[in-house]
Amino acid sequence: MKHLINTKDFDIKTVEHIFEKAKLFKDTGYPNLLSDRLIITIFFENSTRTKSSFEIAAKRLGASVVSLDVSSSSSSKGETLFDTAANLDAMEPDAIIVRHKDAGASKILSNYINCPMINAGDGAHAHPTQALLDLFTIKEYFKEVKGKKIAIVGDIKNSRVANSNIELLSRFGLEVILVAPPHFMPSTKNFRQTYSIKEIIDEVDIIMSLRTQTERHNNLIYASLKDYARDFCITKELIGEREILLMHPGPVHRNVDIDDKMLQDRRCKVLEQVKNGLFVRMAVLDTLINQNSELS
Ligand code: ASP
């Protein structure tokens, strides 16, 4: 059984196949490819975009969705994660979509179920559909992405979005530059690193701004978000007239990650990412459910 736990689960051919489908859905509408199918979503951590995006994607394809309210499920009564998964699986869903605060949770659960498992974010580890929709958005804009330079800016060390994007984008030939203060910089030495946006602003094609993951910090790193913003907020003054694509996975801390003016700028693709997320998730669901045995 093929699952989507991290971006490495899909080879380049599969990713391209998913993008072709997503583009088709975007251009031609919503085909009924998952009628009579049942999908379970179970989110142990908050989500606005990802949960609604998956649920709408499933419904647009004609599937039924059962969304488990974790606060009222038996996990809050002490049932283990494993038992929850095994019980859900016994009801024979066609896919299970999980978000969990612990890295590795979806991988462990995938061993106990008989349908595709999709990781909708596990701790600071991975968020594969976010990276897929980000690459789809970049490809739609540039067509040829090989050799494009992307600066990933912010709390990279604690970001599953950064992790998944670094893997996927570099596999597709983009040059990734990590821009972060020392505390937010991961230990990898495989990518160019800098503490200063100004140092790389003239050479990048794309900036991906990230939210400071305050829920994952053990102690206060910056005295205030204002201090952080002084160095890392993407402002209109900083970007100037440069033709740079600006992205963010959301939720955006306004005037901390990106300022009000840039959020309204035509080069800012935040809402386009959300729109594309729906089509990419439709394509992922269709592929994992209807073509699972054909996937390598
Ligand atoms: N929505 C993304 C995630 O779930 C990014 C974020 O929360 O900052 O990881």
Side-chain angles (χ1 to χ4, degrees):
M1 180 63 63
K2 188 79 178 171
H3 305 287
L4 178 57
I5 306 299
N6 64 52
T7 43
K8 286 185 193 148
D9 288 325
F10 285 168
D11 58 16
I12 288 188
K13 213 175 103 223
T14 306
V15 172
E16 273 165 358
H17 176 65
I18 281 170
F19 286 176
E20 273 164 34
K21 268 196 215 180
K23 181 86 184 97
L24 189 75
F25 298 152
K26 192 173 180 181
D27 292 344
T28 61
Y30 311 122
N32 224 18
L33 296 168
L34 295 180
S35 50
D36 301 329
R37 302 291 198 160
L38 177 82
I39 293 168
I40 295 178
T41 61
I42 175 160
F43 278 61
F44 294 91
E45 220 192 28
N46 294 343
S47 165
T48 313
R49 269 153 299 273
T50 307
K51 185 168 185 283
S52 48
S53 179
F54 267 117
E55 293 183 0
I56 293 169
K59 288 181 180 183
R60 289 293 195 200
L61 292 169
S64 307
V65 177
V66 171
S67 172
L68 230 86
D69 178 0
V70 178
S71 59
S72 65
S73 81
S74 294
S75 314
S76 57
K77 298 183 193 164
E79 185 178 58
T80 65
L81 205 54
F82 159 73
D83 285 327
T84 304
N87 278 276
L88 293 178
D89 189 57
M91 296 181 220
E92 302 194 337
D94 295 288
I96 301 179
I97 300 163
V98 177
R99 169 170 287 190
H100 200 278
K101 69 174 179 25
D102 293 336
S106 48
K107 172 77 192 149
I108 295 170
L109 292 181
S110 69
N111 296 325
Y112 300 104
I113 62 170
N114 292 297
C115 66
M117 157 77 70
I118 301 175
N119 177 11
D122 61 331
H125 170 237
H127 194 349
T129 55
Q130 178 69 46
L132 287 168
L133 76 89
D134 289 338
L135 176 59
F136 180 86
T137 304
I138 295 169
K139 265 178 161 286
E140 234 192 359
Y141 187 84
F142 289 109
K143 310 291 182 255
E144 180 55 57
V145 298
K146 216 169 175 183
K148 294 285 176 221
K149 284 190 191 176
I150 179 165
I152 301 185
V153 179
D155 189 358
I156 301 168
K157 191 173 169 185
N158 295 294
S159 168
R160 54 192 173 212
V161 173
N163 262 344
S164 288
N165 266 301
I166 290 169
E167 192 288 314
L168 187 69
L169 300 185
S170 51
R171 189 147 47 100
F172 273 77
L174 283 99
E175 184 187 329
V176 177
I177 305 172
L178 307 179
V179 184
H183 284 99
F184 293 163
M185 192 64 92
S187 53
T188 172
K189 291 282 166 264
N190 297 338
F191 300 92
R192 212 171 122 196
Q193 302 183 348
T194 173
Y195 304 146
S196 158
I197 305 183
K198 290 197 177 105
E199 191 184 304
I200 48 86
I201 191 78
D202 284 324
E203 52 177 306
V204 295
D205 304 289
I206 309 147
I207 291 179
M208 181 179 289
S209 166
L210 300 172
R211 182 178 65 91
T212 42
Q213 310 280 303
T214 38
E215 70 275 30
R216 297 196 188 108
H217 299 162
N218 295 328
N219 43 8
L220 202 61
I221 292 167
Y222 268 84
S224 74
L225 285 179
K226 221 167 144 198
D227 289 338
Y228 169 83
R230 195 190 50 231
D231 298 331
F232 294 97
C233 184
I234 310 300
T235 62
K236 190 101 178 182
E237 288 69 41
L238 174 76
I239 301 285
E241 296 308 312
R242 296 176 184 87
E243 199 50 40
I244 291 177
L245 203 68
L246 177 58
M247 305 175 74
H248 191 296
V252 177
H253 279 163
R254 267 181 186 266
N255 301 311
V256 174
D257 305 337
I258 301 176
D259 77 352
D260 287 335
K261 280 193 198 149
M262 261 331 276
L263 277 169
Q264 281 167 10
D265 193 280
R266 67 169 177 84
R267 293 165 290 182
C268 178
K269 298 294 168 196
V270 173
L271 293 180
E272 192 65 22
Q273 287 170 266
V274 175
K275 182 186 288 227
N276 288 338
L278 176 66
F279 301 111
V280 169
R281 291 188 174 109
M282 284 170 67
V284 167
L285 287 171
D286 174 41
T287 304
L288 279 176
I289 294 173
N290 287 329
Q291 296 177 305
N292 200 289
S293 58
E294 296 159 37
L295 296 172
S296 51

